[in-house]
Amino acid sequence: MKGPSGHSVFEATRTLLRSIHEENKAIREATLDRPDVESHQRFLEDADNNLIAMELTLEAVRHELGSQIVAARRKRNPLFPIFRLPPELLLKIFHAALDSHLTCGVTNPSYLGRLKTLASVCSPWLTFVRSTPSLWAVLESSCSITFLPVVIRNSKSALLNIRSDWDPHQLRSFTYRDKEHHRQFLQTITEPGLTERWSSVYIDLPHDTGPIKELMEGSFPNLRSIYFGQAQSGWKQGPVKLLGGDTGRLREFRVNSMPLQWDAITLTGLRLLDLTGEAPNSSAKLLDLLAASPSLESLSLTGLPAPFDSGQEKLGAIDLLQLRELFLMNNEAESIIPLLQSIRLSTLAKFRIIHRRYNKGYGDEFVSVLETLGHLNSSLQSTLKSATTLHLAVDGESIKCIANRGHEVCFEVDLTKTRSTEVFKWMSKAITPDFEGSQIRHTKLTLNSNWGGHGNQTAFLPVMEWLGNITELALYANYASTVPLKWLSERVVEGNEVRWRSPRLHKLLIFGSAYLQDVLDFAEERYGGSRGNGTVTEDGDLRVYWPDGLEYLDISGLNSDEDMDMHAEDELRLLLGCHKVIGYDGRRERGDYADEDDDDDDDDDYISLSY
C-alpha cells in the first residue's frame, strides 16, 4: 500500500499545531484572573517555543526528503536505456533527426527550433546539446541576426552547413527588410575564417539579393557539397565564377538556373552531379566534366538547352562504371544524345528519362539515336530486374513505362509527342521483363485505341506479348477489346502441361465501348472449366492448369444497346468467381440490382452490375 507523501504529512502536522496554538491562546485568556497566571503564562510560552521548534524541524525534514528524492532520481536516470546510449550513437541519432548532415534549404520548423525541442526533453540532453559543437554547426538564413553569433560561437571549430533560400511563392512579399536581413546573414557567414569551415552550402536566392558573385568566387577547402541556384528568373549580375579556389574535397555539385563561367570551373572526383537549366554550352566540356569524375554515382540533367557543338561528330567513350542513378528530364535531344552515346555503365539502380514538353519533333530526334544505345541494354535490364511492380501505358503519341522497387521508382521512360511505336520497338529489344528471375509481382498494362492506328487491334499483341505475365489490364479502346480478350483466352501448351496467357491476371478494366458477347466468350474460354477456382484437371495425357478467377472486373464500356440481364449476371458470377464486377445496363438505374438481390445472404459473392 502506498504511504502518504511527505507533503501531506507536513500539512497535517501544520494544521494540528495551529489548532493546539489556538487552544493555548484560549486557555491563556481564561486564566488571566487566577493567582498563578505567571506560571501558566511561562508554561504556554514554552509550549509555543516547542511548537515553533517542531515546525522548523518538519521544514528541515521536508527539505532533506526533497533532496534525497532528487538524488535518487539522478542515480536512477542513468539506468534507463535512453540515458545509457554512447555519446557517439546519441550524436548520430540527433544528426539524423535534425537533418544536419544534408544539403537542403531552410527547414520548417527551423533547425534551431528542432534543436531546442530535443534539448528540452531532459537535463542530460540539454547538457549534451550545449556541449556538442557539431549540433550548432547549421547556419540558416531564418536565424535571427542577433542570435547568429551565439550559434557560431557554440559551433566552435566544427565544419559548417549553410542554408540560405527563400520560398519562390513568397518572393512578391520579399520586402526591403527581408533583403537587408539576407544581406546581413551573408555578411556574417563570410567573415574571415568561417568560409574555410564550410562543409555544405545551399544557396537559392532572388536575383537582386546582395553581391553573391564575390561571395562564391572564394576558396572553400573543406567544401563537400554545394547547391547554387536562383529562386526566380532574371539574374542580372552575369555569369558567376563559382569556386575559384581549392575544391579537392567537393563530392556533390548541384546548380539550378544559375549562369556560371564553366571555363573557369574545375571539378574532379564528384560523386553526385545535378544540373538544372544550366550546363556547359559545349558537349565536349560536359563530357570532360564527367570524365574527370570516374567515381560518379548519381547524374541528373534537367531542362538543358542544345549545346553549340551538337552537330559535331560523336565524342570518345567515358567509363562511369560506378554510376547508380541516371535521371534525364525535359532536355533538348541534342544535349543528351552525345551523352548517351558516350557513357559506358555497369549496373544501374535507377534510370529515368522523361520528356513532357509538347513541342513536336523531339520524338523524331530522340528515336533516331535509340538504336545506337546497345551498350546500355545490359544496364537497363539489370535495373528493371530489381523492380517489384511494372506499369506500361501506351497511346499514339506517348509512352510511359514505370517500374517501382517498393514505393520508389527505379526505371522510367516517359515520352510525349514522340513516335511511341518506335520507342516501344527499341524498348522491347533492349530490355525484357524477366518474371522468373526478377522480383516483379505486379504488372499493369494500359492500352489506348489510337495505339498503332485507330481500329488496329493487332497492334496490341506485341505489347501484351512483351509483358507476357500481365496482372492488371486496362483497355481504353472503342470496340477494340475483341483481340486482347481472345489473346487472354488462348491456351499455351508446354510439353504435357497446358496453361493460359497471363495466368496471374486478377484485374480487368474495359472503359471503351465493348460487346457483351466478347466478355462472355472470354469468361467461358478462360474460366469455364474451373469456375474461377484455379484447379488442375487431366485431359488425356495433358495436365491443365486453370487460372485463378478475377478479383475485379470493370465492364463500364459495355454497349448500352445490349441487355445486361439477370441471366448474364448469373453466368458471369458462375464463370468468374469474381469478388467485384462493375458493369453498365442502359435500362436500369444505379442500385436496382441490389434491390433484387436483397435475399442473398452471402454478401461476399454478390456482383454489382450498376454503372
Side-chain angles (χ1 to χ4, degrees), residues 445 461 464 468-475 481-492 499-510 521-523 525-527 547 550:
L445 173 62
L461 297 183
M464 300 178 72
N469 208 341
I470 303 169
T471 58
E472 181 178 342
L473 176 62
L475 296 171
S481 59
T482 304
V483 171
L485 291 180
K486 285 185 176 180
W487 184 84
L488 291 171
S489 303
E490 293 179 359
R491 303 186 182 195
V492 179
R499 302 180 188 273
W500 272 256
R501 296 184 185 275
S502 299
R504 294 193 289 118
L505 181 71
H506 66 84
K507 192 172 184 178
L508 177 61
L509 306 94
I510 304 175
D521 291 343
F522 157 77
E525 291 292 330
R526 185 176 175 91
Y527 304 104
L550 290 177

Side-chain angles (χ1 to χ4, degrees), residues 166-239:
W166 299 96
D167 187 350
H169 301 289
Q170 299 179 355
L171 288 177
R172 293 183 179 179
S173 60
F174 198 71
T175 64
Y176 172 80
R177 180 178 298 179
D178 296 327
K179 296 177 182 179
E180 181 62 20
H181 170 87
H182 209 88
R183 187 191 64 78
Q184 294 179 11
F185 174 79
L186 294 177
Q187 183 177 356
T188 302
I189 64 175
T190 54
E191 292 179 353
L194 283 185
T195 56
E196 297 178 358
R197 294 168 50 194
W198 286 14
S199 175
S200 69
V201 176
Y202 186 103
I203 295 183
D204 196 357
L205 303 174
H207 60 76
D208 55 352
T209 306
I212 194 67
K213 290 179 60 176
E214 292 76 9
L215 168 66
M216 299 308 300
E217 289 180 4
S219 178
F220 306 92
N222 288 304
L223 190 60
R224 302 177 185 219
S225 176
I226 184 172
Y227 172 93
F228 192 49
Q230 53 176 323
Q232 63 180 162
S233 60
W235 183 263
K236 301 177 181 179
Q237 300 189 34

Side-chain angles (χ1 to χ4, degrees), residues 169-427:
H169 301 289
Q170 299 179 355
L171 288 177
R172 293 183 179 179
S173 60
F174 198 71
T175 64
Y176 172 80
R177 180 178 298 179
D178 296 327
K179 296 177 182 179
E180 181 62 20
H181 170 87
H182 209 88
R183 187 191 64 78
Q184 294 179 11
F185 174 79
L186 294 177
Q187 183 177 356
T188 302
I189 64 175
T190 54
E191 292 179 353
L194 283 185
T195 56
E196 297 178 358
R197 294 168 50 194
W198 286 14
S199 175
S200 69
V201 176
Y202 186 103
I203 295 183
D204 196 357
L205 303 174
H207 60 76
D208 55 352
T209 306
I212 194 67
K213 290 179 60 176
E214 292 76 9
L215 168 66
M216 299 308 300
E217 289 180 4
S219 178
F220 306 92
N222 288 304
L223 190 60
R224 302 177 185 219
S225 176
I226 184 172
Y227 172 93
F228 192 49
Q230 53 176 323
Q232 63 180 162
S233 60
W235 183 263
K236 301 177 181 179
Q237 300 189 34
V240 178
K241 182 182 176 183
L242 190 63
L243 307 177
D246 179 21
T247 58
R249 295 191 176 185
L250 189 64
R251 295 294 176 264
E252 300 180 1
F253 187 79
R254 301 176 178 89
V255 175
N256 184 0
S257 304
M258 182 64 72
L260 302 179
Q261 296 182 19
W262 288 100
D263 293 337
I265 297 176
T266 301
L267 300 173
T268 59
L270 294 179
R271 297 294 178 88
L272 182 149
L273 179 62
D274 184 350
L275 305 180
T276 300
E278 175 61 27
N281 57 4
S282 164
S283 297
K285 176 63 177 177
L286 177 59
L287 295 177
D288 288 343
L289 187 64
L290 297 177
S293 300
S295 299
L296 193 68
E297 298 176 0
S298 177
L299 175 61
S300 176
L301 305 176
T302 303
L304 301 191
F308 71 82
D309 60 351
S310 57
Q312 296 182 5
E313 60 182 13
K314 179 180 175 181
L315 302 173
I318 298 176
D319 291 330
L320 297 177
L321 302 181
Q322 296 189 34
L323 192 68
R324 296 294 176 264
E325 300 179 5
L326 178 59
F327 178 68
L328 307 170
M329 181 174 180
N330 291 344
N331 301 289
E332 293 297 331
E334 296 88 344
S335 66
I336 63 170
I337 287 176
L339 170 70
L340 294 176
Q341 290 177 330
S342 301
I343 60 176
R344 297 293 183 269
L345 309 178
S346 177
T347 301
L348 282 175
K350 294 181 183 178
F351 174 80
R352 302 179 68 188
I353 180 167
I354 304 172
H355 191 85
R356 294 172 183 160
R357 292 176 176 172
Y358 293 93
N359 54 318
K360 291 187 177 181
Y362 174 85
D364 297 336
E365 297 172 353
F366 184 75
V367 170
S368 64
V369 78
L370 291 178
E371 295 297 334
T372 69
L373 303 182
H375 57 286
L376 298 180
N377 290 354
S378 60
S379 299
L380 301 183
Q381 182 70 36
S382 64
T383 305
L384 188 60
K385 190 174 181 178
S386 66
T388 55
T389 62
L390 178 65
H391 180 197
L392 175 64
V394 294
D395 63 26
E397 292 188 332
S398 66
I399 182 170
K400 178 186 292 187
C401 182
I402 300 179
N404 284 55
R405 187 188 303 112
H407 297 287
E408 187 177 33
V409 176
C410 63
F411 178 89
E412 181 174 5
V413 174
D414 184 357
L415 305 175
T416 58
K417 287 299 179 182
T418 186
R419 288 185 290 164
S420 52
T421 54
E422 297 299 320
V423 176
F424 172 73
K425 289 180 181 179
W426 161 75
M427 193 163 57

Side-chain angles (χ1 to χ4, degrees), residues 56 64 80 110 146 159 180 301 344 371 563 577:
L56 295 176
E64 179 63 21
F80 288 132
S110 67
T146 57
L159 297 180
E180 181 62 20
L301 305 176
R344 297 293 183 269
E371 295 297 334
D563 290 335

